[in-house]
Amino acid sequence: MAEALFERDGDRFVPTGLATSPWGSDVQHGGPAAALIARAAEGIGGDQAAVLRLSADILRPIPMAPLVVESRVIRPGRRVRLIETEVLGTDGDPLIRARVWLIRRRDPLGYPHAADALPEPPPPPEALQASDFSFRPYQDYFGDALDKRLIAGSITEPGRAALWFRLRVPVVAGEESTPLQRVAAIADSGNGISWALPFGAYLFINTDLVIHFVREPVGEWFALDSISRYDPAGRGLAETALFDGDGYLGRSAQALFVDRS
């Protein structure tokens, strides 16, 4: 098995087999690319900024080919900044366009924190048994890069599901992945774990990924509590509550294109 999601080749990020999508061996899962977007935001924000929202529009399938990530600040500021990032393919055409809001890190402001208004956290991953499942017969795809613990629901049955995930390899070879990079990679799996239409007969591919954070992520384990809903005319929405070891972290959403395979 590969030892990272990507390897560096100059300014290019070369995907390993662990970046592969369960939808096909010739395309990448959206999670690894989302982690690169988070990495780019951290590179611009540095130690003085935290991510408030990450939104990514997936313009076309991401091929199993090297990626280039380009970012620029489009709304500068000391307290709030907006970053625009493009993930480019080998032909230079954009595959993903993303925007990330950064806010200044600061000491607590002193107002009360309404902890009782937050969703109740799930049992910790240490209290649960390891889960082993695969959506596709080939090996060395993105699911193989994750440790998993089932909290509620079922991966083999349709409907709402909740799981803990831990990314067991770095996003980029030779680098230590940050909590933000890890949760960005994992959050793109909400539609996959909460499927309500059979794989093979239908597609329910997300056209975007939007993550809102109520605080900064910590640690290596992240839980997704996800549910997918579909319109009969081919539209869907996957909604996910996000947790880490300190409790509720935020929410993610994915707009879904639904069709017959």
Side-chain angles (χ1 to χ4, degrees):
M1 187 173 74
E3 298 181 355
L5 301 180
F6 296 97
E7 297 178 351
R8 287 294 297 271
D9 179 16
D11 64 349
R12 305 191 310 166
F13 297 90
V14 182
T16 71
L18 292 179
T20 310
S21 168
W23 294 108
S25 59
D26 58 342
V27 293
Q28 294 185 43
H29 191 285
L36 292 181
I37 293 167
R39 178 183 178 276
E42 291 175 318
I44 289 179
D47 295 335
Q48 302 305 312
V51 171
L52 181 64
R53 188 203 72 187
L54 184 156
S55 63
D57 290 314
I58 304 170
L59 305 180
R60 56 191 176 100
I62 309 166
M64 286 296 293
L67 305 176
V68 174
V69 180
E70 297 181 350
S71 297
R72 63 190 181 99
V73 177
I74 60 174
R75 195 279 192 190
R78 291 189 305 109
R79 294 184 293 180
V80 180
R81 275 180 283 175
L82 180 60
I83 296 169
E84 186 172 73
T85 296
E86 286 191 327
V87 177
L88 308 174
T90 53
D91 55 5
D93 288 340
L95 302 171
I96 301 175
R97 282 199 176 99
R99 289 192 169 190
V100 181
W101 279 103
L102 295 174
I103 59 172
R104 184 180 66 185
R105 285 196 176 100
R106 61 181 304 159
D107 294 331
L109 296 174
Y111 53 79
H113 178 54
D116 58 346
L118 299 178
E120 183 177 351
E126 296 80 9
L128 303 170
Q129 292 186 344
S131 302
D132 185 19
F133 55 86
S134 175
F135 292 121
R136 284 293 180 267
Y138 53 83
Q139 296 298 309
D140 214 17
Y141 84 113
F142 182 62
D144 297 320
L146 303 171
D147 289 323
K148 315 169 192 73
R149 303 285 189 274
L150 182 65
I151 301 166
S154 173
I155 295 303
T156 58
E157 298 293 332
R160 185 172 190 161
L163 283 89
W164 283 103
F165 291 96
R166 182 179 74 89
L167 186 61
R168 63 171 70 143
V169 299
V171 175
V172 179
E175 298 182 5
E176 182 177 355
S177 302
T178 65
L180 178 68
Q181 293 171 29
R182 296 185 190 113
V183 72
I186 291 166
D188 193 59
S189 295
N191 63 320
I193 68 171
S194 64
W195 61 276
L197 294 170
F199 281 90
Y202 289 92
L203 303 172
F204 35 95
I205 300 174
N206 58 304
T207 60
D208 69 0
L209 172 66
V210 181
I211 310 173
H212 287 92
F213 293 97
V214 73
R215 60 171 173 81
E216 293 193 67
V218 297
E220 295 185 345
W221 283 96
F222 297 94
L224 277 62
D225 185 350
S226 304
I227 185 168
S228 291
R229 300 178 176 91
Y230 312 119
D231 179 272
R235 175 172 48 198
L237 175 65
E239 298 176 283
T240 298
L242 300 171
F243 301 86
D244 62 14
D246 285 353
Y248 181 69
L249 177 60
R251 300 194 72 83
S252 65
Q254 299 161 287
L256 305 179
F257 164 71
V258 184
D259 202 357
R260 293 187 180 89
S261 294

